[in-house]
Amino acid sequence: MRRVIHALPLLVACLAATGGAQARLPQLDGAPLVIGHRGAPGHLPDHTLEGYALAIELGADFVEPDLVSTRDGVLIARHEPNLIATTNVKDMPKFASRKRVALVDGVAEEGFFASDFTLAEIKELRAVQPMAGRDTAYDGQYRIPTLREVIALVKRKTLEKGRTIGLYPETKHPTFHKALGLPLEDKLLAELTFAGWNDRQAPVFIQSFETANLRELRAKTAVRLVQLVDADGLNPDGTLSYAPPYDKPYDWVVSGRAGTFADLVTPTGLSEVATYADGIGPWKYYLQSTACRVVSQGVCQDANGDGLVNEADRRVLPPTRVVADAHARGLLVHAYTFRSEPSRLPLEDAGMPTHEFERFFALGVDGVFADFPDSAVAAKGKFLLERSPGFRQCLLKATGCGR
């Protein structure tokens, strides 16, 4: 891993040089985009300026801030409105009385909610690593950033690095926020306008798991929009399972619309998405799923003898037609979420995260959301070496690329 990270500055320069330097939107018509999912959460706590900066340093083309609102209407970067898993709020006695139960997309959650805190109070909190098994050494060190602070960082890093870095905000639970009187959409567009990024050429994608707010945004902005596509889980045979609240866009629940997320990736569904969005962001298993190697009484079993049951006990299935069908309708495909731990990689990838990325690059995806952007950038380099003679020449230049 150390050798890969040391080689990244040269690799990133080469990637920038082969990706269409004239476009403000990085590499839209070139190599697959690497999107720093929540920053670089495989290494640092989610949604921190430090995490976004590390993702950029490791070569990410875009960074992704999930957006929720404070009580005073400021957009901040957090994975969920509930702060209990991603901050140290539960350890701060002064905020103990804020703990409560709230309904988020119809599901009761207990915790501390951003909408009950002012921005000044949010700034007293510190981020923590929410995912078990990852490095917690940086817990409690980094502040919670506002969207404006994230944009300022991205703009500064674009100048420092000499390459365009993009922003990929997600509007989290827009129906929930509207019910609180804290809608996200106009505030997001106001921040993009303030940054000079509310136009078609801006290095920005806006994403959402809901459909109604994307339609609302389409009427107000030319910024590229992406429809996210979720599911509840994977069945032993590799089919996707659907259970609330991950079965359908929550605005469909509120409006009474039938169906599931799966309907959005049928030919008919993709044609509908193309009327208001520029791309889809599907859970990667919609594109190529995995099935359990050993099943007993309908339940996946430990197949590799490590005493655990996880992705490493599954095998890769043939790809679906979703990428081709989406491209046929002019839609980009940005798949999520790629994680580099061996327990999250199926048999065929042999514990090598670059192998998984390369599989999906070969399917034709236009971008990937990566928890470990360094792995994605390394895989992107290998992918380009196989397909771009110019990239090979760039790598071999004594002075590097872009000079």
Side-chain angles (χ1 to χ4, degrees), residues 7-317:
L8 279 171
L10 172 61
L11 177 57
V12 170
C14 292
L15 291 170
T18 59
Q22 301 305 311
R24 286 177 62 196
L25 195 67
Q27 301 180 11
L28 183 63
D29 57 353
L33 295 172
V34 173
I35 304 151
H37 179 244
R38 310 181 201 171
H43 302 292
L44 295 177
D46 298 5
H47 296 304
T48 61
L49 292 181
E50 292 80 2
Y52 299 132
L54 180 59
I56 293 166
E57 200 67 29
L58 296 174
D61 301 299
F62 279 72
V63 293
E64 182 218 24
D66 294 333
L67 301 178
V68 303
S69 180
T70 65
R71 187 173 71 198
D72 43 353
V74 179
L75 299 185
I76 61 171
R78 286 291 87 193
H79 178 51
E80 290 289 334
N82 193 345
L83 306 173
I84 195 167
T86 64
T87 74
N88 63 349
V89 64
K90 63 182 179 297
D91 301 319
M92 301 182 70
K94 68 178 296 183
F95 295 130
S97 63
R98 306 284 178 92
K99 190 174 186 180
R100 67 182 180 92
V101 175
L103 280 178
V104 180
D105 291 0
V107 177
E109 294 184 19
E110 184 176 36
F112 301 83
F113 296 86
S115 54
D116 295 333
F117 291 75
T118 65
L119 177 61
E121 291 171 330
I122 290 290
K123 287 298 185 180
E124 297 183 50
L125 307 180
R126 297 294 182 269
V128 300
Q129 173 61 257
M131 190 166 289
R134 290 186 174 173
D135 191 357
T136 59
Y138 300 92
D139 284 8
Q141 296 188 30
Y142 305 139
R143 295 178 183 270
I144 312 306
T146 64
L147 172 59
R148 184 167 294 189
E149 290 170 333
V150 178
I151 292 173
L153 171 74
V154 169
K155 287 195 159 194
R156 186 173 75 252
K157 290 295 184 181
T158 289
L159 292 175
E160 291 174 4
K161 298 296 182 184
R163 63 184 178 94
T164 302
I165 300 158
L167 187 78
Y168 211 125
E170 180 185 344
T171 55
K172 297 295 291 193
H173 304 285
T175 296
F176 168 83
H177 279 98
K178 283 189 177 180
L180 295 174
L182 295 168
L184 305 173
E185 293 76 19
D186 287 346
K187 291 185 176 70
L188 169 56
L189 294 182
E191 290 294 337
L192 293 178
T193 299
F194 180 80
W197 278 356
N198 190 0
D199 63 68
R200 187 67 177 176
Q201 295 306 310
V204 177
F205 288 97
I206 300 173
Q207 56 178 328
S208 179
F209 281 107
E210 296 191 23
T211 66
N213 78 313
L214 287 177
R215 294 176 188 275
E216 176 185 342
L217 285 164
R218 180 77 298 151
K220 296 179 176 181
T221 183
V223 168
R224 289 173 172 82
L225 307 179
V226 172
Q227 175 68 64
L228 297 173
V229 186
D230 208 354
D232 176 62
L234 275 181
N235 294 315
D237 64 357
T239 57
L240 279 70
S241 62
Y242 298 92
Y246 308 108
D247 57 334
K248 65 177 66 179
Y250 190 63
D251 59 290
W252 290 15
V253 176
V254 173
S255 68
R257 177 170 172 172
T260 68
F261 275 111
D263 296 316
L264 291 173
V265 294
T266 64
T268 299
L270 290 167
S271 294
E272 178 183 350
V273 171
T275 66
Y276 62 85
D278 302 280
I280 58 170
W283 193 24
K284 62 187 179 183
Y285 301 112
Y286 278 100
L287 311 183
Q288 186 169 36
S289 193
T290 64
C292 296
R293 285 180 275 162
V294 179
V295 179
S296 177
Q297 298 181 339
V299 178
C300 296
Q301 303 297 312
D302 175 20
N304 62 5
D306 64 359
L308 303 172
V309 178
N310 49 41
E311 189 69 18
D313 298 301
R314 303 177 74 98
R315 58 184 176 82
V316 173
L317 296 176

